[in-house]
Amino acid sequence: MPALEDQQDRLMAAVPNLRRYARALIGNRSRADDLVRDTLEYACSRTATRPCPQDIRPCLLGIMHQRYFAGGGREVSGGSPVRTSEASPVDAALQALPDEQRAILLLIVLERMTCEEVASVIGWSVASVIGSLSLGRDKLRTQLDTAARASLP
């Protein structure tokens, strides 16, 4: 049983990271918590047949990524996940990005992953991750610049 307890401890230690990523990805606390729960349930069902890797965070983020995008991402509940009038300009700009670009930006910025780690987590080539990261940063910058100009008197 100590091995099972160790796996459960590692799963629970990853919860804050999963919550942070899910909330930034989805922009809705309730739906993000549902995604975290779904990710952990799926991971727990897998640990019964195979042990968790020592560094479980990339594995869990990969499961979360697959679960989110397999369900159609933000389209699952229809519409935009946040109301831009209630969100900060950065949050609104992030939520306006295409899902995959937002996910890659968040994994790199929030989770401090390298492009190689992100490629492994989401199952893309490193070149595709770099290209999507570049597009996402450019779109984010453009949206923030537009929002800043709109707020000028």
Side-chain angles (χ1 to χ4, degrees):
M1 283 296 174
L4 182 58
E5 289 175 9
D6 177 56
Q7 289 182 42
Q8 290 173 342
D9 289 345
R10 285 188 280 143
L11 284 170
M12 294 311 296
V15 169
N17 289 61
L18 293 175
R19 274 195 176 133
R20 179 180 60 222
Y21 175 61
R23 287 178 180 171
L25 181 65
I26 296 173
N28 176 292
R29 181 176 285 210
S30 176
R31 287 186 50 225
D33 288 345
D34 289 345
L35 180 60
V36 170
R37 189 173 15 284
D38 182 55
T39 299
L40 291 171
E41 287 173 0
Y42 184 81
C44 286
S45 73
R46 292 180 58 195
T47 60
T49 57
R50 43 186 189 170
C52 297
Q54 193 60 36
D55 184 7
I56 197 167
R57 187 177 63 107
C59 177
L60 290 172
L61 290 169
I63 291 169
M64 179 175 283
H65 184 85
Q66 291 170 356
R67 308 294 286 179
Y68 178 71
F69 287 101
R74 73 174 87 191
E75 287 77 29
V76 170
S77 66
S80 177
V82 293
R83 287 186 230 144
T84 56
S85 62
E86 296 175 7
S88 74
V90 174
D91 289 337
L94 272 171
Q95 292 301 323
L97 290 176
D99 288 338
E100 290 286 358
Q101 290 173 5
R102 185 174 65 255
I104 290 168
L105 272 168
L106 293 171
L107 287 170
I108 289 173
V109 174
L110 284 182
E111 298 305 320
R112 299 179 184 212
M113 299 178 94
T114 65
C115 289
E116 291 79 10
E117 291 169 324
V118 171
S120 175
V121 163
I122 68 172
W124 285 15
S125 71
V126 175
S128 295
V129 168
I130 291 170
S132 186
L133 174 63
S134 179
L135 288 172
R137 281 192 302 213
D138 289 346
K139 286 180 183 177
L140 186 63
R141 187 178 304 112
T142 299
Q143 290 172 3
L144 290 172
D145 287 347
T146 301
R149 281 193 298 275
S151 68
L152 292 175

